[in-house]
Amino acid sequence: MEVKIQLHDTMQRKKRPFEPIDPENVRMYVCGPTVYDRAHLGNARPVVVFDVLYRLLRHVYGADHVTYVRNFTDVDDKINATALARKEAGAGGTLEELVHQRSDETIGWYLNDMRALGALDPDEMPRATEFIEPMVAMIEDLIAKGHAYEAEGHVLFAVESYKEYGRLSGRSVDDMIAGARVEVAPYKKNPMDFVLWKPSTDDLPGWDSPWGRGRPGWHIECSAMSHELLGATFDIHGGGNDLQFPHHENEIAQSKCAHPDAGFANYWLHNEMLQVEGKKMSKSLGNFFTVHDLLEQGVPGEVIRFVFLGTHYRKPMDWTEEKAVDAENRLHGFVELIAQYGDVDDAMKLRPEQAIIDALADDLNTHAALECLKKMNGSDDANALARNLIFLGFFSEEALSARVSTYRNGVDSLRRIAQKLHDARQRAMKSKDFSEVDRMKHILSLANVSVRMSKDHVDLRPEIDFDPAKLEGL
């Protein structure tokens, strides 16, 4: 069945049928993190959103016909500051080596945290520092075409040279000057002009260029990397709506002026921001936390993903404890149903549910997709449920198989333990010594097993976070 994808294009402010430039080579670029520290919960939202789109595109066009690029910005003042602090604390190596070490460290953290949320690695994950030459070449070209100028060791983009500047965000240059915190500098011809290249001191990371030793501005990085890896025109450019201005606006200006005959990105997608318990996440409010924080507190990655997908990507998402608990209960119930009636190997022979594909094809309506999952609650739905949980990224095939196997083995153990507990209770009723019954109930509680006892029967039920390993004492 042909799938017709509709995506909301920020540039045109409406949903449009998705028509790739080349169905054999669908291309998507998403702005990635500046790797100076752990990713906070808000950083994770675009990762999950565009992972769902990536999965949909792979399903529709074939995994070999989709290229997803998400970059790492690994040259930044905050990274430099951390490296400098380490050097001052006695760390060995040059400052440049310490900067590289810090980037490696934070990139590793980031990928591990995002994988825990079920996100597939993109096909390409370029680092900005690997593409300095293309950036320098693009800047030289912009100067030659009259779109950029050198001033006091800096190179700046002349905003007035690009007549469509502001089209993405829908604001005029005057509005942007009034509403933005633009860097005031005496060498700027226009307050809105932005840096393409800036000087770097000898002790900080820098590269030789026609304008002296320096490093690129943030915006030119994505323009150069997307051009090198996806071409002058590609299908989709995405990111959080906080990047719409100035970052994406500046990318468009640079790229279209460098390649005036190309279209840059044909579709622009932006996700809304994240709140915590109805308030903006901030350190001052004490509601700021990283993905790693939640994982360390025992919140499973699939639970975070479930909460995220419960809200449409273009609406503000509110992370609440209540939603997390509900998501954990839902997912536990799904695993329980599959363990009782399903087979993961057989499930993988099925195609994802058409209703779920249709929901995602309608501008990533993940809420509707989750509603489809919730309706799969009968014994005949177990395999379809398993297949769609894997398709939506809540579990890999291996992880779901392991979870189901653990559950089944635990349930088998519980049958034997239930009989032992029943016998112990019968003896206690006669001896009035309930110490063994209490010991067994305590161990079952530690393993997250609920206990219901009647005169003739003991019922043991595994709950969320059921841990069979803790049953060894029984």
Side-chain angles (χ1 to χ4, degrees), residues 177-388:
I177 292 173
R181 287 179 292 178
V182 295
E183 182 188 357
V184 177
Y187 48 77
K188 285 187 176 186
K189 295 179 180 178
N190 182 312
M192 288 302 297
D193 292 350
F194 57 88
V195 171
L196 300 176
W197 190 264
K198 54 187 170 183
S200 186
T201 58
D202 290 340
D203 59 331
L204 289 176
W207 293 264
D208 292 331
S209 80
W211 320 286
R213 177 180 163 81
R215 59 189 178 92
W218 175 34
H219 313 299
I220 196 69
E221 295 174 9
C222 288
S223 285
M225 286 187 281
S226 64
H227 180 261
E228 289 295 303
L229 296 170
L230 298 177
T233 307
F234 53 92
D235 296 296
I236 297 168
H237 196 313
N241 70 353
D242 57 325
L243 299 181
Q244 197 177 131
F245 176 80
H247 185 51
H248 289 166
E249 201 77 76
N250 292 353
E251 273 190 75
I252 292 168
Q254 296 162 163
S255 296
K256 289 209 168 186
C257 288
H259 309 285
D261 297 328
F264 192 36
N266 282 356
Y267 296 79
W268 285 88
L269 272 68
H270 293 92
N271 64 276
E272 256 288 358
M273 295 297 97
L274 176 139
Q275 299 175 321
V276 176
E277 302 288 350
K279 297 179 180 177
K280 182 179 178 180
M281 187 168 70
S282 71
K283 290 180 180 177
S284 62
L285 292 176
N287 64 354
F288 179 94
F289 44 86
T290 66
V291 173
H292 183 71
D293 290 337
L294 284 180
L295 296 172
E296 286 288 289
Q297 291 163 19
V299 180
E302 63 269 18
V303 167
I304 299 171
R305 187 179 183 95
F306 198 95
V307 175
F308 277 9
L309 298 190
T311 302
H312 192 270
Y313 78 94
R314 286 192 296 109
K315 294 182 179 178
M317 201 220 83
D318 192 18
W319 172 272
T320 69
E321 187 67 30
E322 182 181 355
K323 286 181 181 178
V325 170
D326 179 65
E328 196 159 10
N329 284 327
R330 289 279 185 189
L331 288 161
H332 177 72
F334 292 158
V335 171
E336 192 173 43
L337 185 72
I338 295 163
Q340 289 175 339
Y341 304 109
D343 182 285
V344 176
D345 289 338
D346 287 345
M348 291 308 294
K349 299 170 186 175
L350 303 174
R351 290 180 63 79
E353 199 76 11
Q354 190 60 43
I356 288 177
I357 299 298
D358 290 344
L360 299 185
D362 181 17
D363 194 33
L364 302 185
N365 190 344
T366 52
H367 175 77
L370 295 192
E371 289 303 305
C372 291
L373 283 184
K374 293 173 186 177
K375 292 174 183 175
M376 297 178 186
N377 52 24
S379 57
D380 293 339
D381 298 324
N383 282 351
L385 180 59
R387 180 67 188 92
N388 287 285

Side-chain angles (χ1 to χ4, degrees), residues 23-42:
E24 298 293 310
N25 184 21
V26 181
R27 288 159 286 166
M28 176 168 71
Y29 186 94
V30 175
C31 292
T34 300
V35 286
Y36 63 87
D37 208 343
R38 291 270 185 192
H40 63 67
L41 198 59

